[in-house]
Amino acid sequence: MSESAQEASADLDALVATGLAGLVPRPFRVDRSRRETADTVTLTLAPVTGGSLEFAAGQFTMLGVPGVGEVPISISGDPTWPDALQHTVRDVGGVSHAIASARAGDVLTVRGPFGTGWGVGDGEGGDVLIVAGGIGLAPLRPALLELLAHRHRYRTVTLLYGARTPQDILFAEELAGWRGRFDLEVELSVDYAPPSWRGRVGLVTALIASVAPEQTLALVCGPEVMMRFVTTELLHRGVPAGQIRLSMERAMSCGVGLCGHCQLRELFVCLDGPVFRADRVLGLMAVEEL
Ligand SMILES: Cc1cc2nc3c(=O)[nH]c(=O)nc-3n(C[C@H](O)[C@H](O)[C@H](O)COP(=O)(O)OP(=O)(O)OC[C@H]3O[C@@H](n4cnc5c(N)ncnc54)[C@H](O)[C@@H]3O)c2cc1C
Ligand code: FES
């Protein structure tokens, strides 16, 4: 190795040692873009150089388009098969539009993975409940896939999913497969539906009535107001706040605890979250505009 290459390698080692390696983006090529709904796509990415990205269910990356910007997006793929890095992105603004418009062959940048995971293993031996609202099913999909990969370690596994309309349902084909399994309970509800819809209509909270509180680990992700109602309902059913986990969203820039953009009073969502125990964030969620 030349002297300058040795120096560069030493610099990189030093960077990794300080934990700042998370600031360096890696190029990933889009292998596939699958349309989920009118405004949402799932991208499957592969590293241009280096190994695949190992991650825990619930973690996110800073996903970027060169020259446009980067935003925090949860990993929606299978943690037991990290070779295919998947993100499910809703087109809501400048950067997410550029990401959602990416086609096979395009190169995006990835930093991470960052943050805390769902801690699915904590539910071993007991019942695990997943409650998802809208795009919130994307960060929960890795948790469900992990549960299914080790299904024998858990008692009951239940997915309650609420979408705005039938057209907004994510992972529709996969959901149909999950509904056909004997070892998984799946309930689906939409807020609004045309007369042709044969399924349930109503809020996802209405599905919680049958939850058995003992030994239940509850993983919840969706709009903040939905997570507040779901948590209240679960507490009412007797599920302890320490066994309820919520994934929080805040504006982010660095992803590694340096910029302060994601601060939620004393918490940094990028480092301490995005997954929190309900008893840690419930009080903060009640404060408007925090
Ligand atoms: C940890 C984490 C995980 C996320 N996972 C996903 C995911 O899996 N899929 C997905 O589609 N989106 C996810 N988001 C939200 C995503 O980061 C925002 O939609 C994105 O930053 C919007 O940026 P933009 O430039 O496209 O739009 P902007 O023009 O910046 O904003 C468009 C709208 O989105 C709102 N917004 C902007 N940033 C955020 C944010 N960070 N959180 C919530 N609302 C925001 C704005 O208030 C505005 O209403 C996640 C956010 C966080 C913090
Ligand atoms: S995103 Fe910069 S501190 Fe969390």
Side-chain angles (χ1 to χ4, degrees):
M1 200 188 282
S2 71
E3 207 169 301
S4 60
Q6 273 174 355
E7 274 171 22
S9 169
D11 285 352
L12 193 61
D13 288 347
L15 199 64
V16 171
T18 59
L20 295 182
L23 292 174
V24 182
R26 284 181 61 191
F28 274 68
R29 181 165 288 108
V30 177
D31 264 355
R32 192 170 166 220
S33 168
R34 184 183 69 213
R35 182 147 295 283
E36 301 285 350
T37 69
D39 62 5
T40 304
V41 300
T42 295
L43 299 178
T44 304
L45 308 171
V48 172
T49 55
S52 54
L53 209 70
E54 302 277 337
F55 67 95
Q59 287 193 295
F60 67 95
T61 73
M62 294 300 292
L63 187 58
V65 178
V68 180
E70 54 171 21
V71 288
I73 301 289
S74 299
I75 301 171
S76 64
D78 188 343
T80 65
W81 190 46
D83 282 356
L85 178 66
Q86 291 189 312
H87 289 87
T88 300
V89 185
R90 190 151 72 120
D91 177 350
V92 295
V95 183
S96 54
H97 176 73
I99 295 171
S101 307
R103 294 286 162 263
D106 289 351
V107 173
L108 304 182
T109 59
V110 174
R111 290 195 293 119
F114 297 127
T116 52
W118 290 107
V120 172
D122 294 347
E124 279 192 18
D127 300 318
V128 182
L129 172 71
I130 290 178
V131 189
I135 188 85
L137 184 57
L140 282 165
R141 180 170 174 254
L144 184 56
L145 295 175
E146 184 178 335
L147 285 162
L148 295 179
H150 307 291
R151 181 63 191 85
H152 59 285
R153 297 183 189 166
Y154 303 89
R155 224 161 41 176
T156 67
V157 178
T158 307
L159 168 66
L160 308 180
Y161 177 37
R164 238 171 344 144
T165 72
Q167 285 73 38
D168 294 309
I169 292 171
L170 293 182
F171 314 123
E173 250 178 54
E174 207 171 9
L175 260 174
W178 291 337
R179 292 183 95 177
R181 290 179 66 127
F182 294 112
D183 58 356
L184 177 64
E185 186 86 14
V186 179
E187 296 288 350
L188 174 63
S189 186
V190 297
D191 300 345
Y192 313 97
S196 56
W197 171 249
R198 293 275 168 270
R200 286 174 189 266
V201 179
L203 297 179
V204 72
T205 36
L207 303 175
I208 291 173
S210 58
V211 170
E214 314 86 29
Q215 289 182 273
T216 294
L217 175 69
L219 314 177
V220 186
C221 188
E224 226 165 276
V225 61
M226 168 264 181
M227 291 201 286
R228 248 186 279 153
F229 279 117
V230 167
T231 304
T232 306
E233 200 59 37
L234 288 171
L235 293 172
H236 184 68
R237 296 279 315 155
V239 180
Q243 284 167 222
I244 304 171
R245 296 185 184 164
L246 314 171
S247 185
M248 305 291 293
E249 280 196 10
R250 282 295 177 278
M252 288 187 184
S253 179
C254 69
V256 292
L258 290 176
C259 73
H261 274 83
C262 67
Q263 235 173 318
L264 187 60
R265 202 171 283 167
E266 71 278 13
L267 301 173
F268 285 82
V269 175
C270 66
L271 287 183
D272 304 311
V275 179
F276 293 95
R277 281 167 44 149
D279 50 358
R280 212 164 168 211
V281 286
L282 216 51
L284 300 179
M285 280 169 74
V287 183
E288 294 282 335
E289 302 297 330
L290 193 67

